[in-house]
Amino acid sequence: MSQRFPSVVATRGRDLLTGSWHRARAGPPRAPVLALRGVTPDLAFVHANRSAPAYTWIGHSSALLQMAGANLLLDPVFSATASPFRYIGPRRHQPPGLTPEEVPHVDAVLLSHNHYDHLDRRSVRAVAAQQGGAPRYFVPRGTERWFARNLPRVRGTLPHIDGVDWDATRTVEAPCGPLTLHFLPVQHWSSRTGFDRNASLWGSWAVLHADFRFWYSGDLGYSHEPRRIGDRLGPFDAAAIAIGAYEPRWFMRSQHVNPEEAVQVMLDVQARQAIGVHWGTFALTDEPLDQPPRDLAVALDARGLPRERFIVLRHGETLRFNRMRSAAPDTPAAAGSPSGASRATTQTRGRSA
């Protein structure tokens, strides 16, 4: 492991019990006020894309990132529950924006940490079974042992599994030039069984190419780490930043940013464009599923920032970024609303499902 230990969540057992009691007493989260509807994904584009930077939201923190002709999957979860059980646990409110069968051939999977809403056995096995061979898996150090136990072998050989330390780099060869992957610490924690707390790493990913720079936050509480990332590797052309699962604040503050803090994270990492993730799919905490985009709009207005600077997508929606650090305008819509977002720096495809 890295010698530098980053901000880590140190939740006490008493807090966990109090949080569980609070959830049991409060009951399930309130129903969304606004309808959450996905779009029919633009499969023709995502399968034909060989060079343009593009981002397709699958749901929650899962996404297809296309850069330099390579297809990268971020924290793929396609299952109906974010749970070790098929029918028990937080259930998916929206179907995946892309199914495993609809995803184009994946070159690499990037994992942020091992919580069940980010690491799902059935999903990573489905990706491993894709036509043309399994992708490479880049995972936090310590998680490679889980992958070795749970991924299927192909002709007796495991897919490529790479356990990556904090502040380490890896390279993915791509048709339009190599991608450099940086695994970077943020404030969070890891656990799969309840008895393995922080036995594996957690973190964020920076994906860098000569024409485009992208950052994925993973899960994080607010700390000095995003500013360190921005000072070291920024500015970024785009960043996917968690905006959901933040109530009640007394319990979630250390591990999940709220939309106001997410805006600060965007500024800290020096992202020209941000995309809100970790919302609208699994009801994990007390706020309604549609609350994060509304709170995000309020936070941007309070800072005097344009709403198109930090947008939300619909499940299955694709953002296409122009190359060479710029992007063309598209038709604006109401930022902060699950039904659309301003497209001042992106182009999108997808029609209502």
Side-chain angles (χ1 to χ4, degrees), residues 32-251:
V33 175
L34 302 175
L36 297 174
R37 299 190 184 93
V39 301
T40 300
D42 188 352
L43 297 180
F45 169 75
V46 298
H47 281 268
N49 185 19
R50 294 293 181 270
S51 60
Y55 178 96
T56 302
W57 191 41
I58 295 171
H60 197 59
S61 293
S62 305
L64 170 67
L65 174 64
Q66 298 180 293
M67 287 178 59
N71 295 321
L72 311 179
L73 270 185
L74 309 177
D75 286 357
V77 176
F78 301 99
S79 294
T81 59
S83 164
F85 309 106
R86 189 180 293 268
Y87 303 109
I88 302 173
R91 296 196 62 80
R92 182 181 287 274
H93 184 274
Q94 288 289 304
L98 294 171
T99 66
E101 296 74 25
E102 291 172 330
V103 173
H105 186 273
V106 177
D107 298 290
V109 171
L110 308 185
L111 181 74
S112 65
H113 64 296
N114 68 354
H115 289 161
Y116 284 99
D117 55 323
H118 296 258
L119 174 57
D120 176 70
R121 181 176 183 269
R122 292 184 294 276
S123 299
V124 296
R125 289 176 65 90
V127 177
Q130 68 180 353
Q131 292 293 321
R136 300 171 69 186
Y137 290 84
F138 296 95
V139 305
R141 178 62 59 82
T143 318
E144 68 272 17
R145 294 187 290 272
W146 182 94
F147 277 82
R149 292 193 303 269
N150 288 278
L151 282 185
R153 294 175 180 269
V154 180
R155 292 186 293 276
T157 303
L158 274 172
H160 177 100
I161 306 166
D162 194 342
V164 186
D165 208 343
W166 285 315
D167 296 320
T169 62
R170 296 293 188 271
T171 300
V172 172
E173 297 298 332
C176 298
L179 300 175
T180 303
L181 312 179
H182 294 255
F183 186 54
L184 305 161
V186 290
Q187 179 171 298
H188 200 56
W189 56 289
S190 69
S191 181
R192 192 76 178 168
T193 66
F195 300 100
D196 59 347
R197 188 178 180 88
N198 298 338
S200 62
L201 301 186
W202 60 91
S204 65
W205 286 98
V207 184
L208 309 184
H209 182 259
D211 289 349
F212 198 76
R213 303 170 73 87
F214 184 89
W215 182 66
Y216 165 50
S217 74
D219 282 6
L220 73 168
Y222 189 73
S223 72
H224 65 280
E225 298 292 349
R227 184 175 295 275
R228 176 182 176 269
I229 292 168
D231 290 342
R232 177 185 169 193
L233 297 173
F236 293 95
D237 297 286
I241 301 174
I243 63 170
Y246 50 87
E247 293 291 348
R249 290 311 288 151
W250 69 265
F251 185 54

Side-chain angles (χ1 to χ4, degrees), residues 28 31 48 163 191 206 249 255 275 278 308:
S191 181
R249 290 311 288 151
Q255 50 196 308
I275 307 157
H278 202 258
E308 61 267 22

Side-chain angles (χ1 to χ4, degrees), residues 6-20:
S7 305
V8 61
V9 176
T11 304
R12 298 172 300 177
R14 183 176 65 187
D15 293 334
L16 293 172
L17 291 174
T18 303
S20 299

